[in-house]
Amino acid sequence: MTSTEPNESNGTNGERQGIQSVETAMRVLLALESGGGALSLSAIAQASGMQPSKVHRYLVSLGRIGLTSQDAASGLYDFGAAMRRMGAEALRRTNEVAVAGGHAMRLRDRTGHSVNLAVWGDRGPIVVSWAYGTRPLPLTVRVGATLPLVTSSVGRVFLAHLPESLTDEVLRDELRGKEADWPAERLAATREQVREKGYAETRGSVIPGIISIAAPVFAAGDPLPLAISVVLPESLGTPDHVAEVTRELQTTVTEASRELGRAPQGRGELRDQPRRTSSRPTA
């Protein structure tokens, strides 16, 4: 009979053999991540579901290779220099549009509705991908089209989450001659509503007979979100169905944000944060 190393596990049900101790170490690192900051040994043990003595042994080994560190004064543990370098390099290699686009396609497959992905350009939100669903729509949206800020669900997502210094010029041009319809109070209320709800919904404001629901995708270290929106015929927009589609959308953007290194944080998410070099296309 062939023996295995103590820290190896034989795969079952077609799974490939792995190293159990590596997976256990990852539980410790994930416990550190879930804390949102430096943690005590007991807190890491509780979050990982392991005994403190076992967690301590893993922390010693992880600390030796720079994946964790311990503050000499407080005794609290946090990620180490090697972990920070790897995280930064992983983000540098990430194509945000490709990651978010994959999630958008799966959202289209789950809902059957058309889905698009937009980024911020020089003159407003720009559609960078459009996936048609099984429900016919009375519109054709080309990739590269610029969407309005205040009347589209995608535009309202960017209006709510981007610094006003980026949106002011575009907004002024869009509202020229329409200021009476969109006074400052209404704009402020629109921004606040999108931040509170986590998504924006419009009905027939851009194209009659269409409901559009959009939500932001955030990437770690980047103050510019992307936006994913679902577009469906207003004839299918019963309250229950719209609520179901909205839940699917929110699940999608949460998963996409997590894959990109950060889940949405809600109110005040994007305010005067330093911008890193992004791999997404610009217009």
Side-chain angles (χ1 to χ4, degrees):
M1 179 180 295
T2 302
S3 62
T4 63
E5 295 295 328
N7 62 345
E8 290 184 352
S9 60
N10 289 319
T12 57
N13 299 324
E15 294 181 358
R16 291 181 294 180
Q17 181 174 308
I19 307 299
Q20 186 176 2
S21 59
V22 174
E23 297 170 4
T24 304
M26 191 62 192
R27 286 172 59 189
V28 175
L29 294 174
L30 290 174
L32 264 177
E33 179 198 16
S34 69
L39 295 176
S40 65
L41 174 62
S42 60
I44 298 171
Q46 182 176 5
S48 63
M50 297 189 295
Q51 292 297 318
S53 58
K54 182 176 182 179
V55 171
H56 182 261
R57 293 196 298 272
Y58 276 93
L59 286 169
V60 170
S61 293
L62 291 169
R64 287 173 180 167
I65 58 176
L67 294 181
T68 64
S69 62
Q70 185 181 23
D71 182 79
S74 67
L76 299 179
Y77 293 89
D78 207 341
F79 290 134
M83 176 64 79
R84 290 191 291 272
R85 289 195 302 271
M86 287 192 294
E89 179 60 16
L91 288 172
R92 188 190 67 80
R93 299 183 187 188
T94 300
N95 184 324
E96 299 162 4
V97 169
V99 170
H103 285 275
M105 290 294 290
R106 291 188 285 276
L107 175 63
R108 187 277 308 270
D109 294 341
R110 292 198 306 272
T111 63
H113 293 302
S114 297
V115 174
N116 69 66
L117 174 66
V119 302
W120 182 256
D122 292 339
R123 302 308 305 163
I126 297 177
V127 176
V128 294
S129 71
W130 179 279
Y132 284 97
T134 58
R135 278 78 168 186
L137 295 172
L139 81 163
T140 299
V141 176
R142 63 178 179 85
V143 171
T146 300
L147 300 173
L149 269 180
V150 297
T151 56
S152 71
S153 63
V154 167
R156 291 181 184 181
V157 165
F158 286 104
L159 187 67
H161 291 289
L162 288 184
E164 293 182 24
S165 58
L166 288 181
T167 60
D168 275 351
E169 183 178 353
V170 176
L171 185 60
R172 283 196 302 269
D173 290 345
E174 185 175 318
L175 295 184
R176 190 167 288 121
K178 304 176 184 177
E179 292 87 348
D181 295 329
W182 285 93
E185 294 79 5
R186 185 180 180 187
L187 288 171
T190 299
R191 288 187 175 101
E192 185 70 12
Q193 183 182 52
V194 174
R195 292 169 189 154
E196 289 282 358
K197 296 171 68 174
Y199 66 92
E201 178 184 334
T202 58
R203 293 176 178 248
S205 55
V206 178
I207 298 175
I210 292 298
I211 298 174
S212 178
I213 311 164
V217 174
F218 298 103
D222 194 336
L224 298 184
L226 302 94
I228 294 177
S229 69
V230 184
V231 182
L232 59 150
E234 201 162 9
S235 59
L236 298 179
T238 63
D240 287 346
H241 186 61
V242 169
E244 178 184 356
V245 170
T246 301
R247 284 193 296 270
E248 289 285 353
L249 172 63
Q250 291 179 305
T251 297
T252 295
V253 297
T254 298
E255 292 175 349
S257 297
R258 184 177 294 118
E259 185 172 347
L260 289 171
R262 182 177 67 184
Q265 300 298 311
R267 297 170 55 89
E269 169 70 26
L270 303 172
R271 285 297 177 270
D272 302 324
Q273 299 181 29
R275 188 180 180 186
R276 67 178 174 85
T277 301
S278 175
S279 57
R280 73 181 63 163
T282 56

